[in-house]
């Protein structure tokens, strides 16, 4: 019995049902199929699951998906649409022709479809089944994440090399006689990643005060003696798996406040890593970093350490488990980031993020790249 | 009263409610805010709407979103989580603290949230309101789409120039003494797009028999005298808007079957364009292309013209209106593709796709790039 079968059995359901495009990581995880249009997936215990796709996608689905393939036409949708013009109701009727009884759906299952189906079936919500199922990685998934982490390090190295080789001109960084901007560094990182068949968005190259806003991507000139936060989370185009990495650097000399923050973040990082092992509680590790920072005089409200310590990574860049206030027990095979950071609007921000796997005894770090503040 | 207010009024609702990440094009369209984590958006008539985000995102949301900004903390989520650990139920309680009565939601609204909310409110599904609202573009949106179409043409030109300059070596295309592959052409197109601050995925560079599978992205060597279908749909990183374009080329000489298919597709394209104007019916234009192909001896089942004639494009690459069997009335301001194609597994595929706007009298084509089969 596979992991999803156990979820179906535990819920007392007859079948598991999804309707989503492969932008939904759960359906991509379960089917191995990627398409921009939503499709139906259902699975009974002890079968390999079935997808219902357009006839245009059927051949590709048969090649790429782990599931059996039906077309909407063979499932009767064109006939149904002759008497029911509402596409949601018609889709529900098509699904009801294939499955019935107690149907387990994810919390994000479309309400319009659930409502139409509940006229003939019982809908049960799978509150958290797939999140915890996905959180424990198989050896194959570990390999995929390590592969994309290698590419991530190459892209970080592209950025840091550019900043290292830059010179100061009129108070700004310059490289090859052109101003070195956030956009230019980001663009070169993305070129590196494209050459490695990875895609990525919202890469952060944030300098100075902008670095104090954790999610601001940054734009315009880069300045000497100010912190530059570089954070990227590429996805391998082939496998769909992500990694996530952050480094903070200064071209020139950091002010004492930034140097102190960097040292505190580095120590917080090492402290967190030392506490990771199967059975440790995410919330407790997060809390011990809060306390460590507090002892150093750094807060954790709207300034200071303002976000979670870390998160799971897989077919989604943020997934279970959480290393935050609500984080539960870590399990061997979880892949997580450790990313303490400190942010002060009048000074700037510092963050260091590594990724690795929770093991029975500790943390198997995948990231293999120096932590170095001043270039 | 804005367009969404009319949707709320027509449904007899008190408020419109969404819960999604900005991967959901509706919430991005309504709020102008992008984030990878799901957030709450609600709007009453005559207000500018409100988003509820994490406190970490609040500053950025205040800068970027058209809506007013609340944090989950100010909306009471941490307090609620002390007595309700289920995040879906807790989120519903937080929302119920802000809105009530008759709540209009999109069809894809998460079932778990709708179920929890329906204990205290009435949930009404907005069957198609935003799709038709989004289908008519503002002048600003038209400008955004024209901008990304210009970038799209540069990327197509990158590809076609590479193929044009290639030579034949041992029966395969070669450029700069290296084999010219689908991957290499795709990678150069993506580099062009990154330099223009566009992102894109699943770009098709499909040669020979692979070109006969409409959505196959293509891989491996490119061959002379065989059709190469190049289809890409980049998104402008800043605006979030898409364009969509396809060209089919042959390095060398096409076989007569491909030449005939290309001529038929070109004529079908011109025929479709001549029928577009506000008030025309999408299904009828699609049907007239089917009939045109049929007169030339080309079918429309699993071989021949196997997909829809076209689709709307905007903040999503596929959106309303449809130029397919179920396509309704076109309106001035719709932005649509026209993309007839012919596919025969034993011969190959041909597709030509342009984009433009429906006007009172015709089709204002944005695409400005030659149609040329043999390079």
């Amino acid at each position: 019995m596979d992991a999803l079968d156990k979820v179906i059995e535990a819920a007392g359901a007859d079948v598991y049902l999804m309707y989503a495009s492969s932008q939904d990581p759960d359906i991509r995880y379960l089917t191995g199929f990627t398409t921009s249009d939503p499709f139906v997936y259902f699975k009974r215990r002890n079968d390999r699951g079935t997808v219902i796709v357009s006839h245009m996608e059927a051949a590709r689905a048969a090649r790429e998906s782990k599931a059996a393939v039906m077309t909407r036409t063979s499932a009767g949708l064109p006939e149904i649409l002759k008497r029911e013009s509402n596409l949601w109701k018609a889709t529900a009727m098509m699904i009801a022709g294939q499955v019935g009884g107690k149907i387990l759906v994810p919390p994000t299952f479309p309400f319009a479809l659930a409502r139409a189906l509940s006229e003939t079936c019982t809908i049960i919500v799978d509150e958290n089944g797939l999140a915890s199922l996905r959180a424990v990685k198989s050896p194959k998934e570990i390999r995929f994440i390590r592969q994309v982490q290698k590419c991530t390090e190459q892209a970080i190295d592209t950025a840091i090399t550019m900043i290292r080789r830059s010179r100061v001109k009129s108070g700004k960084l310059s490289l090859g006689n052109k101003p070195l901007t956030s956009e230019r560094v980001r663009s070169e990182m993305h070129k590196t990643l494209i050459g490695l068949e990875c895609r990525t968005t919202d890469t952060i190259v944030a300098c100075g005060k902008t670095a104090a806003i954790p999610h601001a991507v940054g734009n315009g000139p880069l300045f000497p003696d100010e912190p530059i936060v570089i954070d990227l989370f590429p996805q391998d185009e082939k496998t769909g798996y992500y990694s996530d990495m952050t480094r903070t650097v200064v071209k020139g000399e950091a002010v004492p406040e930034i140097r102190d923050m960097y040292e505190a973040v580095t120590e917080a990082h090492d402290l967190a890593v030392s506490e990771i092992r199967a059975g440790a509680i995410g919330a407790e590790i997060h809390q011990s970093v809060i306390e460590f920072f507090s002892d150093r005089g750094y807060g954790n409200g709207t300034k200071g350490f303002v976000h979670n310590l870390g998160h799971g990574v897989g077919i989604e860049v943020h997934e279970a488990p959480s290393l935050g206030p609500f984080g539960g027990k870590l399990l061997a095979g979880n892949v997580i980031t450790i990313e303490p950071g400190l942010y002060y609007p009048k000074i700037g921000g510092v963050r260091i993020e590594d990724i690795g796997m929770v093991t029975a005894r500790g943390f198997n770090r995948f990231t293999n790249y120096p932590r170095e503040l001043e270039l």
Side-chain angles (χ1 to χ4, degrees), chain A residues 17 19 40 75-97 109-121:
Chain A
L17 172 69
Y19 180 81
V40 172
L77 188 61
E79 287 304 311
I80 295 167
L81 280 168
K82 285 177 190 165
R83 51 186 205 277
E84 173 55 69
S85 67
N86 180 306
L87 191 58
W88 291 100
K89 289 181 185 164
T91 302
M93 289 162 75
M94 176 187 78
I95 292 169
F109 192 79
F111 176 57
L113 207 48
R115 200 179 50 170
L117 272 169
S118 61
E119 288 178 16
T120 55
C121 315

Side-chain angles (χ1 to χ4, degrees), chain A residues 137-274:
Chain A
K137 269 66 181 178
S138 70
K140 188 172 158 191
E141 292 180 287
I142 298 289
R143 200 168 65 242
F144 289 164
I145 298 167
R146 294 191 83 129
Q147 279 170 359
V148 64
Q149 172 55 24
K150 286 283 161 247
C151 303
T152 306
E153 286 167 26
Q154 284 203 34
I156 279 267
D157 200 52
T158 296
I160 291 180
T161 302
M162 290 178 85
I163 296 165
R164 197 190 295 276
R165 294 172 61 93
S166 70
R167 292 164 184 280
V168 182
K169 271 197 184 167
S170 319
K172 294 172 191 168
L173 300 192
S174 174
L175 183 67
N177 272 321
K178 284 188 294 184
L180 191 58
T181 60
S182 291
E183 290 85 347
R184 203 176 143 201
V185 172
R186 184 158 44 236
S187 171
E188 288 303 317
M189 292 169 82
H190 287 194
K191 284 181 193 167
T192 297
L193 287 166
I194 277 185
L196 299 167
E197 300 197 314
C198 296
R199 64 176 66 140
T200 192
T201 62
D202 300 318
T203 298
I204 294 170
V205 182
C207 181
K209 310 283 180 288
T210 312
I213 309 169
H215 273 193
V217 297
N219 56 63
L222 299 175
F223 298 96
D225 308 328
E226 295 195 6
I228 305 172
V229 171
I230 309 166
D231 183 350
L232 78 167
F233 34 98
Q235 182 184 31
D236 189 313
E237 285 187 18
K238 278 210 194 100
T239 67
Y241 280 77
Y242 283 87
S243 193
D244 197 351
M245 179 176 184
T246 308
R247 285 294 181 269
T248 303
V249 296
V250 169
K251 173 70 184 183
E253 280 190 28
V255 296
E257 291 91 335
I258 290 291
R259 227 179 268 177
D260 291 346
M261 282 159 64
Y262 194 85
E263 191 183 292
V265 166
T266 306
E267 287 185 35
H269 202 282
D270 295 344
L271 169 70
V273 165
S274 76

Side-chain angles (χ1 to χ4, degrees), chain A residues 19-42:
Chain A
Y19 180 81
S21 80
S22 51
Q23 284 194 345
D24 181 296
D26 283 339
I27 207 166
R28 182 165 185 183
Y29 178 83
L30 292 174
T31 66
F33 184 55
T34 61
T35 174
S36 55
D37 295 320
F39 62 99
V40 172
Y41 168 76
F42 62 87

